[in-house]
Protein backbone atom coordinates (compact mmCIF):
# COMPACT_ATOMS: atom_id res chain seq x y z
CA UNK A 1 0.00 0.00 0.00
CA UNK A 2 1.27 3.44 -0.86
CA UNK A 3 2.12 5.59 2.11
CA UNK A 4 -0.71 7.84 3.18
CA UNK A 5 -0.32 11.57 3.69
CA UNK A 6 -2.53 13.30 6.21
CA UNK A 7 -3.58 16.90 5.71
CA UNK A 8 -5.79 19.11 7.80
CA UNK A 9 -6.41 22.81 8.20
CA UNK A 10 -7.58 25.52 10.51
CA UNK A 11 -8.66 29.05 9.65
CA UNK A 12 -6.85 31.89 11.41
CA UNK A 13 -10.04 33.66 12.39
CA UNK A 14 -9.50 33.45 16.16
CA UNK A 15 -7.86 31.46 18.92
CA UNK A 16 -8.33 27.76 19.57
CA UNK A 17 -11.28 26.98 21.82
CA UNK A 18 -12.42 23.82 23.61
CA UNK A 19 -14.50 22.87 20.55
CA UNK A 20 -11.39 22.81 18.38
CA UNK A 21 -9.39 21.10 21.10
CA UNK A 22 -11.73 18.19 21.77
CA UNK A 23 -13.20 18.13 18.25
CA UNK A 24 -10.01 18.30 16.22
CA UNK A 25 -6.68 19.01 17.95
CA UNK A 26 -6.84 15.87 20.10
CA UNK A 27 -7.18 13.75 16.97
CA UNK A 28 -4.28 15.60 15.33
CA UNK A 29 -2.13 14.86 18.37
CA UNK A 30 -2.83 11.15 18.00
CA UNK A 31 -2.27 11.23 14.25
CA UNK A 32 1.09 12.91 14.46
CA UNK A 33 2.31 9.90 16.46
CA UNK A 34 1.74 7.33 13.71
CA UNK A 35 4.72 8.35 11.62
CA UNK A 36 2.82 9.28 8.43
CA UNK A 37 3.55 12.64 6.82
CA UNK A 38 1.20 15.09 8.51
CA UNK A 39 0.53 18.63 7.27
CA UNK A 40 -1.32 21.25 9.29
CA UNK A 41 -2.30 24.18 7.11
CA UNK A 42 -3.05 27.57 8.62
CA UNK A 43 -5.64 28.53 6.02
CA UNK A 44 -5.23 32.31 5.85
CA UNK A 45 -6.34 32.56 2.21
CA UNK A 46 -9.51 30.70 3.07
CA UNK A 47 -10.04 32.88 6.14
CA UNK A 48 -9.85 35.90 3.83
CA UNK A 49 -12.77 34.63 1.73
CA UNK A 50 -15.16 35.92 4.39
CA UNK A 51 -12.75 38.17 6.30
CA UNK A 52 -11.22 39.99 3.32
CA UNK A 53 -11.95 43.35 4.93
CA UNK A 54 -10.16 42.40 8.16
CA UNK A 55 -6.58 41.67 7.08
CA UNK A 56 -5.11 42.60 10.49
CA UNK A 57 -7.34 40.06 12.21
CA UNK A 58 -6.27 37.24 9.90
CA UNK A 59 -2.60 38.25 10.09
CA UNK A 60 -2.56 38.35 13.89
CA UNK A 61 -4.33 35.03 14.19
CA UNK A 62 -1.81 33.13 12.08
CA UNK A 63 0.77 33.42 14.86
CA UNK A 64 -1.85 33.08 17.59
CA UNK A 65 -2.97 29.77 16.09
CA UNK A 66 0.58 28.52 15.79
CA UNK A 67 1.13 29.39 19.46
CA UNK A 68 -2.09 27.63 20.46
CA UNK A 69 -1.30 24.53 18.39
CA UNK A 70 2.22 24.16 19.79
CA UNK A 71 0.96 24.80 23.33
CA UNK A 72 -1.55 21.97 22.92
CA UNK A 73 1.19 19.55 21.98
CA UNK A 74 1.34 19.71 18.19
CA UNK A 75 4.99 18.87 17.59
CA UNK A 76 6.68 20.59 14.64
CA UNK A 77 9.15 17.69 14.43
CA UNK A 78 6.22 15.43 13.54
CA UNK A 79 3.75 17.86 12.00
CA UNK A 80 4.53 20.27 9.18
CA UNK A 81 2.80 23.50 10.11
CA UNK A 82 2.61 25.90 7.18
CA UNK A 83 0.93 29.11 6.06
CA UNK A 84 -1.36 28.68 3.04
CA UNK A 85 -0.67 32.05 1.39
CA UNK A 86 3.07 31.42 1.48
CA UNK A 87 2.63 28.41 -0.82
CA UNK A 88 1.47 30.19 -3.99
CA UNK A 89 1.25 26.87 -5.89
CA UNK A 90 -2.01 26.29 -4.02
CA UNK A 91 -3.46 29.44 -5.57
CA UNK A 92 -2.20 28.33 -8.97
CA UNK A 93 -3.90 24.93 -8.67
CA UNK A 94 -7.09 26.65 -7.53
CA UNK A 95 -7.20 28.49 -10.85
CA UNK A 96 -6.67 25.28 -12.83
CA UNK A 97 -9.32 23.37 -10.88
CA UNK A 98 -11.87 26.17 -11.18
CA UNK A 99 -12.48 24.99 -14.75
CA UNK A 100 -13.43 21.55 -13.51
CA UNK A 101 -16.40 22.50 -11.36
CA UNK A 102 -19.64 24.19 -12.31
CA UNK A 103 -21.13 27.11 -10.43
CA UNK A 104 -24.38 25.25 -9.89
CA UNK A 105 -22.48 22.33 -8.34
CA UNK A 106 -20.87 24.72 -5.84
CA UNK A 107 -24.23 26.26 -4.97
CA UNK A 108 -25.59 22.75 -4.38
CA UNK A 109 -22.73 21.74 -2.05
CA UNK A 110 -24.47 21.13 1.31
CA UNK A 111 -21.64 22.67 3.38
CA UNK A 112 -21.55 25.80 1.24
CA UNK A 113 -25.35 25.95 1.30
CA UNK A 114 -25.46 25.74 5.10
CA UNK A 115 -22.82 28.44 5.47
CA UNK A 116 -24.63 30.73 3.02
CA UNK A 117 -27.84 30.25 4.99
CA UNK A 118 -26.03 31.10 8.22
CA UNK A 119 -24.57 34.24 6.67
CA UNK A 120 -28.01 35.36 5.50
CA UNK A 121 -29.45 34.77 8.95
CA UNK A 122 -26.62 36.71 10.57
CA UNK A 123 -26.49 39.62 8.16
CA UNK A 124 -29.96 39.56 6.66
CA UNK A 125 -28.56 39.44 3.15
CA UNK A 126 -30.29 37.99 0.16
CA UNK A 127 -27.29 36.21 -1.26
CA UNK A 128 -26.18 39.08 -3.45
CA UNK A 129 -23.07 39.54 -1.36
CA UNK A 130 -21.82 35.97 -1.79
CA UNK A 131 -18.45 36.47 -3.44
CA UNK A 132 -16.79 34.40 -6.13
CA UNK A 133 -14.03 33.65 -3.60
CA UNK A 134 -16.42 32.38 -0.96
CA UNK A 135 -18.38 30.23 -3.39
CA UNK A 136 -15.13 28.81 -4.68
CA UNK A 137 -13.51 27.91 -1.40
CA UNK A 138 -14.19 24.17 -1.85
CA UNK A 139 -12.09 24.43 -5.04
CA UNK A 140 -9.25 25.98 -3.09
CA UNK A 141 -9.58 23.18 -0.53
CA UNK A 142 -9.12 20.68 -3.34
CA UNK A 143 -5.92 22.54 -4.16
CA UNK A 144 -4.81 22.47 -0.50
CA UNK A 145 -5.20 18.72 -0.39
CA UNK A 146 -3.79 17.74 -3.76
CA UNK A 147 -0.79 20.10 -3.59
CA UNK A 148 0.63 17.76 -0.94
CA UNK A 149 -0.85 14.51 -2.30
CA UNK A 150 -3.01 14.47 0.81
CA UNK A 151 -4.78 11.12 0.94
CA UNK A 152 -6.27 10.96 4.46
CA UNK A 153 -8.25 13.97 5.56
CA UNK A 154 -9.60 14.23 9.11
CA UNK A 155 -13.02 15.86 8.90
CA UNK A 156 -16.21 16.39 10.85
CA UNK A 157 -19.41 15.01 9.31
CA UNK A 158 -20.50 18.49 8.20
CA UNK A 159 -17.38 18.80 6.09
CA UNK A 160 -17.81 15.58 4.13
CA UNK A 161 -19.39 17.37 1.13
CA UNK A 162 -16.21 19.47 0.81
CA UNK A 163 -14.13 16.35 0.53
CA UNK A 164 -16.57 14.85 -1.97
CA UNK A 165 -16.14 18.00 -4.05
CA UNK A 166 -12.39 17.50 -3.97
CA UNK A 167 -12.74 13.87 -5.03
CA UNK A 168 -14.91 14.90 -8.00
CA UNK A 169 -12.32 17.46 -9.08
CA UNK A 170 -9.56 14.85 -8.79
CA UNK A 171 -11.49 12.32 -10.87
CA UNK A 172 -12.27 14.88 -13.54
CA UNK A 173 -8.67 16.08 -13.63
CA UNK A 174 -7.29 12.55 -13.93
CA UNK A 175 -9.84 11.70 -16.63
CA UNK A 176 -8.88 14.69 -18.78
CA UNK A 177 -5.17 15.10 -18.12
CA UNK A 178 -4.05 11.64 -16.99
CA UNK A 179 -3.70 9.90 -13.64
CA UNK A 180 -1.76 12.42 -11.60
CA UNK A 181 -3.80 13.33 -8.58
CA UNK A 182 -4.56 11.21 -5.54
CA UNK A 183 -8.22 10.83 -4.59
CA UNK A 184 -8.33 11.60 -0.86
CA UNK A 185 -10.30 9.67 1.72
CA UNK A 186 -12.15 11.14 4.66
CA UNK A 187 -11.17 10.16 8.13
CA UNK A 188 -14.35 10.80 10.01
CA UNK A 189 -13.96 12.21 13.50
CA UNK A 190 -15.73 10.21 16.20
CA UNK A 191 -16.02 13.23 18.50
CA UNK A 192 -19.35 14.99 18.32
CA UNK A 193 -19.52 18.78 17.96
CA UNK A 194 -18.67 20.46 21.24
CA UNK A 195 -21.50 22.67 22.45
CA UNK A 196 -21.24 26.29 23.56
CA UNK A 197 -21.56 27.80 27.06
CA UNK A 198 -25.07 28.95 26.11
CA UNK A 199 -26.16 25.44 25.13
CA UNK A 200 -25.83 26.16 21.40
CA UNK A 201 -25.06 23.02 19.36
CA UNK A 202 -21.74 24.49 18.27
CA UNK A 203 -19.10 26.24 20.31
CA UNK A 204 -17.91 28.82 17.79
CA UNK A 205 -15.29 31.51 17.64
CA UNK A 206 -17.74 34.16 16.63
CA UNK A 207 -20.76 32.98 18.62
CA UNK A 208 -19.67 34.45 21.97
CA UNK A 209 -20.09 31.03 23.59
CA UNK A 210 -16.56 29.67 23.62
CA UNK A 211 -13.90 28.92 26.20
CA UNK A 212 -10.57 29.73 24.58
CA UNK A 213 -7.33 28.05 25.61
CA UNK A 214 -5.92 31.56 25.84
CA UNK A 215 -8.54 32.78 28.36
CA UNK A 216 -7.19 33.95 31.74
CA UNK A 217 -8.19 32.21 34.98
CA UNK A 218 -10.47 35.15 35.79
CA UNK A 219 -12.18 35.05 32.42
CA UNK A 220 -12.71 31.28 32.69
CA UNK A 221 -14.35 31.81 36.08
CA UNK A 222 -16.61 34.53 34.69
CA UNK A 223 -17.64 32.46 31.68
CA UNK A 224 -18.38 29.31 33.68
CA UNK A 225 -20.35 31.28 36.27
CA UNK A 226 -22.58 32.43 33.40
CA UNK A 227 -22.97 28.99 31.76
CA UNK A 228 -26.41 27.53 31.13
CA UNK A 229 -27.66 25.12 33.83
CA UNK A 230 -30.94 23.24 34.26
CA UNK A 231 -33.40 26.14 34.26
CA UNK A 232 -35.87 24.10 36.34
CA UNK A 233 -33.47 24.06 39.27
CA UNK A 234 -34.20 27.09 41.45
CA UNK A 235 -32.99 26.24 44.94
CA UNK A 236 -29.63 24.79 45.93
CA UNK A 237 -31.15 21.47 47.02
CA UNK A 238 -33.56 21.05 44.08
CA UNK A 239 -33.01 17.86 42.11
CA UNK A 240 -31.77 18.61 38.61
CA UNK A 241 -31.08 17.01 35.25
CA UNK A 242 -27.35 17.06 34.40
CA UNK A 243 -28.11 16.20 30.77
CA UNK A 244 -29.46 19.69 30.09
CA UNK A 245 -26.70 21.46 32.02
CA UNK A 246 -23.64 22.90 30.26
CA UNK A 247 -21.66 22.83 33.49
CA UNK A 248 -22.05 19.05 33.67
CA UNK A 249 -21.32 18.85 29.94
CA UNK A 250 -17.88 20.43 30.54
CA UNK A 251 -17.30 18.35 33.68
CA UNK A 252 -17.47 15.45 31.21
CA UNK A 253 -14.53 16.92 29.32
CA UNK A 254 -12.16 17.90 32.12
CA UNK A 255 -13.33 16.25 35.35
CA UNK A 256 -13.50 12.59 34.37
CA UNK A 257 -12.35 11.20 37.72
CA UNK A 258 -15.13 12.82 39.63
CA UNK A 259 -17.92 12.51 37.14
CA UNK A 260 -20.16 9.99 38.87
CA UNK A 261 -20.23 12.02 42.08
CA UNK A 262 -21.04 15.23 40.22
CA UNK A 263 -23.84 13.47 38.36
CA UNK A 264 -25.45 11.71 41.30
CA UNK A 265 -25.17 14.72 43.64
CA UNK A 266 -26.80 16.90 40.99
CA UNK A 267 -29.63 14.42 40.38
CA UNK A 268 -30.28 14.01 44.10
CA UNK A 269 -30.23 17.70 45.00
CA UNK A 270 -27.02 17.33 46.99
CA UNK A 271 -25.01 19.98 45.17
CA UNK A 272 -25.82 23.57 44.36
CA UNK A 273 -24.98 25.04 40.95
CA UNK A 274 -22.56 27.59 42.39
CA UNK A 275 -20.47 24.91 44.10
CA UNK A 276 -20.64 22.78 40.96
CA UNK A 277 -19.45 25.71 38.83
CA UNK A 278 -16.62 26.44 41.26
CA UNK A 279 -15.43 22.86 41.01
CA UNK A 280 -15.54 23.06 37.21
CA UNK A 281 -13.58 26.34 37.24
CA UNK A 282 -10.88 24.65 39.30
CA UNK A 283 -10.77 21.58 37.06
CA UNK A 284 -10.81 23.68 33.89
CA UNK A 285 -7.90 25.74 35.16
CA UNK A 286 -6.00 22.57 36.09
CA UNK A 287 -6.60 21.24 32.58
CA UNK A 288 -5.50 24.54 30.99
CA UNK A 289 -2.50 25.16 33.24
CA UNK A 290 0.16 23.30 31.19
CA UNK A 291 -1.23 24.78 27.96
CA UNK A 292 -1.17 28.24 29.52
CA UNK A 293 2.42 27.80 30.66
CA UNK A 294 3.53 26.80 27.18
CA UNK A 295 1.56 29.71 25.70
CA UNK A 296 3.37 32.10 27.99
CA UNK A 297 6.70 30.64 26.91
CA UNK A 298 5.90 31.12 23.23
CA UNK A 299 4.50 34.60 23.80
CA UNK A 300 7.89 35.50 25.24
CA UNK A 301 9.74 33.73 22.40
CA UNK A 302 8.10 34.90 19.17
CA UNK A 303 11.28 33.93 17.30
CA UNK A 304 10.56 30.26 18.09
CA UNK A 305 7.13 30.57 16.46
CA UNK A 306 8.57 32.31 13.41
CA UNK A 307 11.11 29.54 13.03
CA UNK A 308 8.47 26.80 13.16
CA UNK A 309 6.31 28.62 10.61
CA UNK A 310 9.20 29.38 8.30
CA UNK A 311 10.64 25.87 8.36
CA UNK A 312 7.24 24.22 7.99
CA UNK A 313 6.27 26.49 5.12
CA UNK A 314 9.60 25.92 3.36
CA UNK A 315 9.20 22.16 3.61
CA UNK A 316 5.57 22.27 2.45
CA UNK A 317 6.40 24.57 -0.44
CA UNK A 318 9.10 22.27 -1.78
CA UNK A 319 6.51 19.48 -2.05
CA UNK A 320 3.89 21.76 -3.62
CA UNK A 321 6.37 23.04 -6.22
CA UNK A 322 7.16 19.54 -7.41
CA UNK A 323 3.49 18.48 -7.48
CA UNK A 324 2.50 21.65 -9.37
CA UNK A 325 5.22 20.99 -11.94
CA UNK A 326 3.92 17.53 -12.61
CA UNK A 327 0.37 18.86 -12.87
CA UNK A 328 1.41 21.53 -15.34
CA UNK A 329 3.25 18.99 -17.45
CA UNK A 330 0.09 16.94 -17.73
CA UNK A 331 -1.93 20.06 -18.55
CA UNK A 332 0.61 20.85 -21.27
CA UNK A 333 1.31 24.28 -19.86
CA UNK A 334 4.92 23.75 -18.91
CA UNK A 335 6.81 25.41 -21.75
CA UNK A 336 10.36 25.52 -20.44
CA UNK A 337 12.37 24.99 -17.24
P1 LIG B 1 -14.87 29.76 11.62
O1 LIG B 1 -16.11 30.29 12.27
O2 LIG B 1 -13.88 30.82 11.31
O3 LIG B 1 -15.13 28.82 10.47
P2 LIG B 1 -14.47 27.43 13.30
O4 LIG B 1 -14.65 27.58 14.78
O5 LIG B 1 -15.52 26.73 12.51
O6 LIG B 1 -14.18 28.89 12.77
P3 LIG B 1 -12.40 26.22 11.67
O7 LIG B 1 -11.04 26.81 11.56
O8 LIG B 1 -13.34 26.41 10.50
O9 LIG B 1 -13.07 26.76 13.02
O10 LIG B 1 -12.30 24.68 11.99
C1 LIG B 1 -11.17 24.03 12.51
C2 LIG B 1 -11.52 22.61 12.93
O11 LIG B 1 -12.20 22.61 14.19
C3 LIG B 1 -12.47 21.90 11.97
O12 LIG B 1 -12.05 20.56 11.86
C4 LIG B 1 -13.82 22.03 12.64
O13 LIG B 1 -14.73 21.03 12.26
C5 LIG B 1 -13.42 21.90 14.12
N1 LIG B 1 -14.40 22.55 15.02
C6 LIG B 1 -14.74 23.86 15.06
N2 LIG B 1 -15.65 24.10 16.02
C7 LIG B 1 -15.92 22.90 16.62
C8 LIG B 1 -16.77 22.46 17.69
N3 LIG B 1 -17.55 23.29 18.36
N4 LIG B 1 -16.76 21.15 18.03
C9 LIG B 1 -15.98 20.27 17.35
N5 LIG B 1 -15.14 20.61 16.35
C10 LIG B 1 -15.10 21.89 15.98
MG1 LIG C 1 -15.47 26.73 10.13
Amino acid sequence: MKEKTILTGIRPTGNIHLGHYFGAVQTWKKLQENGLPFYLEIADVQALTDNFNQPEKVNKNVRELAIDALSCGIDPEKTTIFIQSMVPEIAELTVFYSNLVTISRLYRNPTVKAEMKQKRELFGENGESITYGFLGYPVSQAADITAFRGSLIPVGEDQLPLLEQCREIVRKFNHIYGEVLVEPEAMLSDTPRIKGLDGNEKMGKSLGNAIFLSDSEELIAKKIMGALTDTKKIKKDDQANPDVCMVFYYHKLVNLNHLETVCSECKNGLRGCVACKKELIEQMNTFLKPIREKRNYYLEHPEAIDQVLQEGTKKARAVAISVAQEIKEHMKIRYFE
Side-chain angles (χ1 to χ4, degrees), residues 21-55:
Y21 185 84
F22 289 102
V25 180
Q26 248 187 356
T27 316
W28 302 345
K29 276 169 68 174
K30 271 189 222 141
L31 289 173
Q32 72 176 358
E33 297 307 326
N34 68 11
L36 294 177
F38 185 23
Y39 292 90
L40 173 57
E41 174 183 274
I42 302 188
D44 60 338
V45 177
Q46 193 185 319
L48 284 167
T49 58
D50 53 357
N51 291 273
F52 57 86
N53 52 358
Q54 300 184 72

Side-chain angles (χ1 to χ4, degrees), residues 86-99:
M86 301 292 284
V87 183
E89 288 69 26
I90 298 173
E92 217 179 351
L93 299 188
T94 306
V95 174
F96 303 155
Y97 298 165
S98 65
N99 296 325

Side-chain angles (χ1 to χ4, degrees), residues 133-200:
F134 174 77
L135 186 66
Y137 92 79
V139 183
S140 90
Q141 278 194 349
D144 296 335
I145 295 170
T146 54
F148 306 96
R149 300 192 199 288
S151 51
L152 264 187
I153 315 297
V155 284
E157 202 149 342
D158 56 324
Q159 293 172 316
L160 276 175
L162 297 173
L163 198 73
E164 197 42 50
Q165 188 89 69
C166 173
R167 290 162 60 91
E168 275 177 39
I169 290 173
V170 166
R171 287 197 292 267
K172 192 153 181 186
F173 185 100
N174 287 348
H175 177 72
I176 298 171
Y177 303 110
E179 293 288 323
V180 187
L181 304 180
V182 181
E183 207 174 309
E185 281 167 54
M187 207 171 148
L188 206 54
S189 154
D190 48 11
T191 334
R193 281 218 160 263
I194 304 297
K195 295 183 189 179
L197 284 157
D198 54 357
N200 187 307

Side-chain angles (χ1 to χ4, degrees), residues 9-11 13 17 19-20 23-24 28 156 158-159 192-194 202-206:
I10 185 156
R11 293 155 36 101
T13 48
H17 53 61
H20 298 125
W28 302 345
D158 56 324
Q159 293 172 316
R193 281 218 160 263
I194 304 297
K202 184 187 168 177
M203 179 179 282
K205 285 174 201 164
S206 50

Side-chain angles (χ1 to χ4, degrees), residues 151-332:
S151 51
L152 264 187
I153 315 297
V155 284
E157 202 149 342
D158 56 324
Q159 293 172 316
L160 276 175
L162 297 173
L163 198 73
E164 197 42 50
Q165 188 89 69
C166 173
R167 290 162 60 91
E168 275 177 39
I169 290 173
V170 166
R171 287 197 292 267
K172 192 153 181 186
F173 185 100
N174 287 348
H175 177 72
I176 298 171
Y177 303 110
E179 293 288 323
V180 187
L181 304 180
V182 181
E183 207 174 309
E185 281 167 54
M187 207 171 148
L188 206 54
S189 154
D190 48 11
T191 334
R193 281 218 160 263
I194 304 297
K195 295 183 189 179
L197 284 157
D198 54 357
N200 187 307
E201 284 306 309
K202 184 187 168 177
M203 179 179 282
K205 285 174 201 164
S206 50
L207 301 172
N209 65 4
I211 292 181
F212 293 96
L213 306 182
S214 51
D215 285 346
S216 67
E217 288 194 22
E218 297 69 33
L219 191 53
I220 297 278
K222 197 169 156 226
K223 285 183 175 176
I224 291 178
M225 278 315 207
L228 180 80
T229 52
D230 182 352
T231 49
K232 295 210 181 88
K233 177 165 168 133
I234 314 282
K235 294 194 302 307
K236 201 168 116 185
D237 51 4
D238 281 346
Q239 296 182 347
N241 176 8
D243 293 337
V244 297
C245 171
M246 295 319 295
V247 177
F248 182 65
Y249 183 85
Y250 299 127
H251 271 292
K252 285 193 280 190
L253 297 177
V254 296
N255 194 13
L256 295 172
N257 295 335
H258 203 197
L259 214 50
E260 275 174 33
T261 319
V262 178
C263 184
S264 71
E265 286 183 357
C266 172
K267 279 183 177 162
N268 296 312
L270 299 172
R271 87 169 21 221
C273 290
V274 173
C276 190
K277 284 175 171 174
K278 284 195 172 147
E279 182 179 334
L280 177 64
I281 292 167
E282 213 182 296
Q283 291 303 318
M284 190 65 78
N285 280 321
T286 306
F287 165 74
L288 289 176
K289 193 167 176 251
I291 298 176
R292 220 175 252 145
E293 283 171 0
K294 283 201 195 153
R295 267 190 63 82
N296 288 338
Y297 170 82
Y298 287 119
L299 286 172
E300 283 163 18
H301 294 86
E303 70 289 351
I305 295 296
D306 282 350
Q307 194 187 347
V308 165
L309 289 173
Q310 279 181 30
E311 282 177 5
T313 303
K314 195 172 159 203
K315 194 171 150 197
R317 180 143 196 232
V319 175
I321 287 175
S322 102
V323 173
Q325 275 182 359
E326 199 186 339
I327 285 175
K328 283 190 270 187
E329 255 160 40
H330 278 77
M331 291 180 71
K332 310 216 180 299

